[in-house]
Amino acid sequence: MSTQKTSTCVAIYSNSYAWQELIVPPLQHIVGVAPEKDILDLFALARKVGTVTLADNPADQTSTISWGSYIRLAQLQTPGTPFFPSLNRLRIDHAGGSLDELNLLVTNSLRVLEVVNIDDSQYPAFIVFLCSLAGECPRLRSITLSSRPIDWLEACLEFSHLRELKLDGILHELDLDMLVAIGKGFPELETFILNAEYDSCISTPQLNTDEACEVSGVPVPLGSQDEIQEPSASTTNVPPETASPSDDRAPQDGAKSPPASPVKKTPEPTFRQLKKLHIVGCLQLIQDVLSLCSGLEDVSLTLVRLGESTDSEIARTEIFASIIERIFDWNKCLARMFIGQNWQIEVPELGPAILPSRAVQKLFLHSTLQHLEIANWALDAFATYLSCLAPRPPFHFNSMLTTLHLPVGSISPGISLSDLRHLAISCPHLSSLRSTILLDLNNLPEYKIGRAADVALHHKLETLSVGSANGPAWNWMQYCTAARHLFALFPAVKIQPQMGPGRNPVRWMTIRDTLQMYQTVSLDNKARRRAYGLDL
């Protein structure tokens, strides 16, 4: 077991008269009769410990204390007083025999509990510990579980005041009913992180290409419960008594009506306070969780689709795009969104699927979205997305995006240099852009030496993370033209060339250096005018 507070605290533990540090292994032991003053000093230090890591073989063994020493200290401790009364974070990692120390760590100050890599034989001990915490830790706000059985999660449902739940490596038992129970059990939950990357989801629909546009269960839009649409008659079973005369299922000639098939009712939304929702999993899991969300505000949403079946990849991509399109209806609540996929699971040689442009266009037009990041998806040419931002008199849409991060490299055609001005005008608040940029000088405005640029903007873009495909060699004037175009649009931008194949970092380093020369000359000019009292 290791404790962490400050380096001073650890040093005092090691140098105290009551402790002796052994060389192999480096454990802390109580040797002989400890003076009362040293024991009191030790407990005073224990009251300052805020973080404890419980492990059989901790990485930081400089502050490791032997189990026998804890038994001895427990005998000296005042009854009813927690050994670490200020403990707020407990991490249990690869702990086997160390779990015997758990009861010493029960304190009502605990706020964060992280449990990873626990041996199966220790399940009963940990369940007992969870039950103890439920009654004695009213301040517990965050629980992280990694690859744990479902009964651990059920025990956690006793913490009705929980604000953050992280599940890493979800097991097969986590179905829609369990998700409903989580929502009801944690009514104040603000952060919900689900990582099902290491397990397949249950009840995954088997789809084919023809079913792509007929899938039910697409998540309902966020908003009030009154906005949730009931399933249409085409997606529900119609009881015989309400069937039309032409319905083949209607009774004929007085025949007895067959029993009606039960209609599975969609659960009411249970997640109403979420601020951060992170889902890595199959389509079914993504749809199930989103269908339980309602009435949210200022949400940060992450959706990472896992590969499931190469036979229905087109259908699954269409379903995922439909999910994103419906997210457009999360009006006035979505602030941040990350979209990804783990395409390497199934067919790495085929590369990532193309995210349909209609889904990306919807996000570009979202009225409150400020941060959009897309990774591991191939995209269409960027001009396709910019078309949705084209001015339509008398209205002109200005995006609220401050961060736009798109794939860089061969999987994304990227933005042309000439389209950057359109993007800058449509996204006036943009401060960080990551994208492939096509180094095509053909459509740029004519920049003449000795004349100011006619298309100059004062956009406040700060960071441009960029790459591009390799192309013909440039001469010095071509580098100057590209750098001047960027300077005319984004006078204070800093270029960050992306490394890796298909990103051409050397060319972008040259453009960066040339741009910095323009920026430096501009600073010199401002300093000169300031020195001579000229108007800036």
Side-chain angles (χ1 to χ4, degrees):
M1 176 175 183
S2 63
T3 60
Q4 299 175 359
K5 176 59 179 177
T6 63
S7 58
T8 303
C9 177
V10 173
I12 294 175
Y13 268 50
S14 302
N15 296 329
S16 172
Y17 174 86
W19 297 83
Q20 174 179 326
E21 181 174 350
L22 303 183
I23 297 177
V24 181
L27 300 176
Q28 309 292 343
H29 293 265
I30 297 178
V31 180
V33 178
E36 182 178 359
K37 181 181 181 302
D38 285 350
I39 293 296
L40 293 177
D41 289 345
L42 180 61
F43 287 144
L45 289 172
R47 286 194 292 270
K48 300 178 182 179
V49 172
T51 300
V52 168
T53 298
L54 188 63
D56 286 346
N57 297 294
D60 177 17
Q61 296 196 354
T62 59
S63 56
T64 301
I65 303 172
S66 70
W67 167 231
S69 297
Y70 276 103
I71 296 250
R72 181 76 179 275
L73 290 172
Q75 294 175 327
L76 302 172
Q77 183 75 358
T78 303
T81 303
F83 187 71
F84 296 117
S86 300
L87 180 65
N88 58 66
R89 181 176 180 267
L90 171 60
R91 178 176 175 84
I92 303 174
D93 187 359
H94 283 98
S98 297
L99 288 181
D100 294 332
E101 307 168 20
L102 276 176
N103 288 333
L104 289 175
L105 303 175
V106 175
T107 171
N108 60 12
S109 63
L110 190 64
R111 291 178 176 270
V112 179
L113 175 64
E114 301 175 15
V115 185
V116 295
N117 304 315
I118 304 302
D119 187 78
D120 293 353
S121 63
Q122 300 299 324
Y123 288 171
F126 188 73
I127 288 293
V128 172
F129 176 65
L130 277 179
C131 294
S132 300
L133 290 182
E136 300 189 36
C137 295
R139 298 182 182 181
L140 191 66
R141 290 294 183 266
S142 174
I143 292 180
T144 299
L145 298 178
S146 175
S147 301
R148 294 302 95 207
I150 206 68
D151 53 349
W152 286 30
L153 184 55
E154 290 174 346
C156 292
L157 294 178
E158 298 296 325
F159 301 95
S160 59
H161 43 272
L162 204 69
R163 299 292 180 87
E164 181 178 84
L165 178 63
K166 299 179 182 180
L167 303 178
D168 188 10
I170 303 170
L171 300 183
H172 299 288
E173 294 92 336
L174 188 64
D175 56 9
L176 180 60
D177 292 336
M178 193 64 207
L179 291 171
V180 172
I182 291 173
K184 291 181 177 179
F186 306 132
E188 301 177 17
L189 196 65
E190 295 179 352
T191 298
F192 191 18
I193 297 178
L194 290 168
N195 185 355
E197 187 171 356
Y198 306 107
D199 291 280
S200 59
C201 304
I202 68 168
S203 303
T204 302
Q206 298 300 317
L207 305 171
N208 54 49
T209 306
D210 296 333
E211 295 173 319
C213 299
E214 301 178 0
V215 176
S216 61
V218 175
V220 297
L222 285 178
S224 65
Q225 181 63 27
D226 296 336
E227 296 174 352
I228 298 175
Q229 299 178 355
E230 294 295 330
S232 64
S234 62
T235 59
T236 58
N237 295 315
V238 182
E241 61 269 22
T242 62
S244 63
S246 61
D247 196 327
D248 294 337
R249 292 170 295 179
Q252 302 294 328
D253 300 326
K256 185 177 180 181
S257 300
S261 301
V263 178
K264 186 175 180 180
K265 185 178 180 181
T266 302
E268 294 185 0
T270 55
F271 298 108
R272 298 181 178 274
Q273 303 295 329
L274 290 180
K275 299 294 184 183
K276 181 178 181 181
L277 177 59
H278 181 131
I279 310 172
V280 179
C282 62
L283 285 173
Q284 187 65 49
L285 178 65
I286 292 173
Q287 292 182 104
D288 284 348
V289 176
L290 294 181
S291 69
L292 299 176
C293 298
S294 180
L296 308 185
E297 297 180 1
D298 195 26
V299 180
S300 176
L301 178 63
T302 296
L303 301 179
V304 179
R305 189 201 70 163
L306 297 185
E308 300 173 63
S309 172
T310 57
D311 296 333
S312 58
E313 179 58 35
I314 296 177
R316 295 183 187 280
T317 298
E318 288 296 321
I319 297 170
F320 191 75
S322 297
I323 292 174
I324 295 174
E325 286 185 277
R326 290 294 299 271
I327 290 172
F328 179 75
D329 296 328
W330 295 23
N331 199 19
K332 298 181 180 179
C333 70
L334 188 62
R336 300 170 58 89
M337 186 164 187
F338 176 91
I339 302 172
Q341 69 169 336
N342 192 345
W343 56 271
Q344 294 176 331
I345 290 180
E346 297 293 344
V347 281
E349 67 277 5
L350 298 181
I354 297 177
L355 186 63
S357 59
R358 68 179 194 276
V360 182
Q361 286 179 338
K362 283 282 189 178
L363 294 176
F364 272 41
L365 292 173
H366 199 282
S367 61
T368 61
L369 189 61
Q370 299 175 21
H371 182 111
L372 175 60
E373 184 169 357
I374 301 175
N376 282 343
W377 282 94
L379 300 178
D380 292 326
F382 198 83
T384 306
Y385 311 129
L386 286 178
S387 63
C388 70
L389 300 176
R392 294 178 176 86
F395 303 105
H396 178 62
F397 175 78
N398 282 335
S399 170
M400 297 302 295
L401 284 173
T402 61
T403 301
L404 178 60
H405 289 175
L406 304 175
V408 177
S410 58
I411 65 174
S412 176
I415 312 171
S416 68
L417 279 172
S418 57
D419 282 336
L420 280 176
R421 190 172 192 275
H422 185 181
L423 177 66
I425 294 173
S426 300
C427 302
H429 309 289
L430 199 63
S431 63
S432 178
L433 173 63
R434 184 183 69 200
S435 175
T436 300
I437 291 185
L438 304 177
L439 293 175
D440 181 6
L441 303 181
N442 295 330
N443 297 321
L444 290 186
E446 184 179 4
Y447 293 106
K448 294 184 178 180
I449 297 177
R451 289 181 55 182
D454 297 329
V455 296
L457 300 176
H458 191 63
H459 197 284
K460 297 183 179 179
L461 184 71
E462 298 175 0
T463 304
L464 177 61
S465 302
V466 64
S468 62
N470 295 324
W474 276 11
N475 59 40
W476 175 247
M477 286 304 299
Q478 288 174 310
Y479 280 109
C480 290
T481 300
R484 184 176 179 184
H485 180 64
L486 292 174
F487 180 69
L489 302 179
F490 314 115
V493 71
K494 293 182 179 180
I495 295 180
Q496 296 179 349
Q498 297 291 293
M499 302 298 172
R503 299 183 179 186
N504 207 349
V506 175
R507 178 168 294 190
W508 277 104
M509 289 177 186
T510 306
I511 295 175
R512 177 197 61 192
D513 295 343
T514 309
L515 173 64
Q516 288 176 345
M517 186 181 300
Y518 282 116
Q519 293 169 334
T520 302
V521 170
S522 177
L523 292 175
D524 290 342
N525 187 48
K526 289 180 181 180
R528 180 184 300 111
R529 297 180 68 87
R530 206 165 24 241
Y532 287 92
L534 302 177
D535 293 335
L536 295 178

